[in-house]
Amino acid sequence: MRSFNNKVAAITGAATIVEKMSIEFIALAVGAGLALSILGLALFAALTERQAEAFSPPAGRFIDVGGARLHYLDRGTGPAVVMVHGLGGNLRNFYELIDKLATTCRVVVVDRPGSGYSKMMFGEHPALRAQATIIAQFVHRLGLDRPLLVGHSLGGALSLALALDYPDSVRALVLISTLSQVQREPPAAFKALHIRSATLQWLVAWTLMAPLGKLARRATQKAVFAPELVPTGFDVASGAALGLRPGSFIAACKDMTTVPNELAIMAPRYSSLAVPVDVIFGRQDPILDYRAHGERLVAALPNAKMHVIDGGHMIPVTAPDQIVTWIKRLAI
């Protein structure tokens, strides 16, 4: 009987060991599979980055200023016009305006720090007003004498910040579909960027952003252009794929999450802004409402005009001739 019990105990013990080994093996297999999946996604993100940069290589020059290496395009001669793009974009977003303006103006278009091919050489990604300081230093380094500053969307908010903090650096503003008021809830098209944790920003950027961004890119573009159609060839002309790179995604997340506090400081100062300002909006803009961000801004500024046209958020692309006309009126 004792021999039988010993055999049962031995078999039971062996089964327990096998069970433990099986659980450990499954855990190791799951861990290995997860690690391989993350590695595969990171490699895909790196490949996407290389493809985007091969597809849309740098179009202009580079200059080191304010701790940043800025990528910019400098075209034409005449009165200086400096143009600043919006959230997640790059200088190519102004492709419909550049050549039209360069016939009579010197057009300087710059990638904001962290966007396009501009990057910080050291230090953290700068918040909105710190970016404005870098662009003000950039204007000075190029020897531009109080240029007209043109900003689209978040680039409009940066233009306001620059004019408020460095009023002698610009002589007028043209703000297109501009962000001007605190908006805590992000537009639906940009909710994926509303990530506060730096660790989570990095993790998403190097795993999910590339595949999901590619899948959702067309839908996102439709949402941003609505109610107008996305123009044929927009991806190529605008360098849209550059926004799928991990670094660009992280910078856009930081812009999205820090800008409300920046605007809360800026908005009470709008009444002190003395330079001429033209504010241009699309009446059907689904991203930034022209009444909340346009009319309220114009009411606060002492020397501003409001222009509302039919169109959505991307009127620099869909209504370039009207935009160029207003820019030239202030530039020349």
Side-chain angles (χ1 to χ4, degrees):
M1 185 69 178
R2 180 179 296 176
S3 175
F4 176 77
N5 289 338
N6 289 340
K7 288 181 180 179
V8 171
I11 293 171
T12 303
T16 302
I17 292 171
V18 170
E19 182 180 1
K20 288 182 177 179
M21 290 177 63
S22 298
I23 293 172
E24 290 175 358
F25 177 79
I26 291 171
L28 286 172
V30 170
L34 182 59
L36 287 173
S37 297
I38 292 174
L39 178 60
L41 288 168
L43 290 173
F44 184 74
L47 177 62
T48 298
E49 181 172 48
R50 289 184 62 183
Q51 290 175 335
E53 293 180 351
F55 194 66
S56 302
R61 310 172 189 172
F62 290 88
I63 188 171
D64 292 347
V65 56
R69 173 159 292 173
L70 298 181
H71 174 236
Y72 70 101
L73 193 64
D74 194 340
R75 295 268 183 86
T77 58
V81 176
V82 176
M83 307 178 75
V84 186
H85 64 83
L87 181 68
N90 66 87
L91 61 80
R92 292 173 184 261
N93 292 169
F94 292 113
Y95 69 91
E96 284 285 2
L97 304 180
I98 295 170
D99 288 342
K100 291 179 171 66
L101 287 169
T103 58
T104 54
C105 301
R106 180 182 177 184
V107 182
V108 178
V109 195
V110 61
D111 284 334
R112 289 188 301 103
S115 299
Y117 283 97
S118 291
K119 62 181 181 180
M120 297 303 296
M121 303 302 293
F122 54 84
E124 296 292 327
H125 177 74
L128 186 70
R129 286 175 297 151
Q131 290 183 38
T133 294
I134 293 171
I135 299 303
Q137 294 172 349
F138 166 74
V139 167
H140 178 72
R141 282 284 300 277
L142 290 188
L144 303 177
D145 183 21
R146 301 188 70 220
L148 170 66
L149 190 56
V150 178
H152 175 241
S153 196
L154 182 61
L158 184 150
S159 300
L160 282 165
L162 192 156
L164 286 168
D165 290 343
Y166 304 93
D168 294 333
S169 295
V170 295
R171 62 188 179 89
L173 302 179
V174 173
L175 307 176
I176 310 166
S177 310
T178 188
L179 176 70
S180 70
Q181 310 297 321
V182 176
Q183 184 168 313
R184 299 291 179 185
E185 183 68 19
F190 296 117
K191 279 192 175 180
L193 299 173
H194 202 252
I195 303 173
R196 295 189 178 277
S197 165
T199 301
L200 189 55
Q201 290 170 4
W202 186 90
L203 184 61
V204 172
W206 281 101
T207 57
L208 300 176
M209 178 56 197
L212 295 183
K214 284 190 172 185
L215 290 172
R217 185 168 61 186
R218 196 63 183 171
T220 300
Q221 289 178 354
K222 286 182 178 179
V224 174
F225 272 89
E228 299 167 291
L229 299 177
V230 181
T232 302
F234 174 75
D235 274 348
V236 176
S238 70
L242 294 174
L244 296 177
R245 297 172 302 167
S248 298
F249 176 78
I250 292 170
C253 288
K254 293 185 183 300
D255 287 336
M256 171 65 76
T257 55
T258 58
V259 76
N261 291 337
E262 298 281 287
L263 286 170
I265 296 170
M266 289 166 51
R269 299 174 57 200
Y270 288 157
S271 61
S272 69
L273 192 58
V275 298
V277 181
D278 272 18
V279 179
I280 310 170
F281 262 91
R283 185 173 285 105
Q284 295 84 22
D285 189 333
I287 305 299
L288 298 172
D289 183 79
Y290 75 91
R291 289 157 295 202
H293 292 276
E295 290 180 350
R296 285 184 64 186
L297 174 63
V298 170
L301 295 173
N303 192 13
K305 295 179 181 177
M306 182 81 178
H307 309 280
V308 181
I309 63 176
D310 285 332
H313 191 66
M314 296 300 291
I315 50 178
V317 177
T318 60
D321 292 336
Q322 290 172 279
I323 302 295
V324 165
T325 297
W326 282 309
I327 291 175
K328 285 186 175 182
R329 283 179 184 172
L330 279 182
I332 299 175

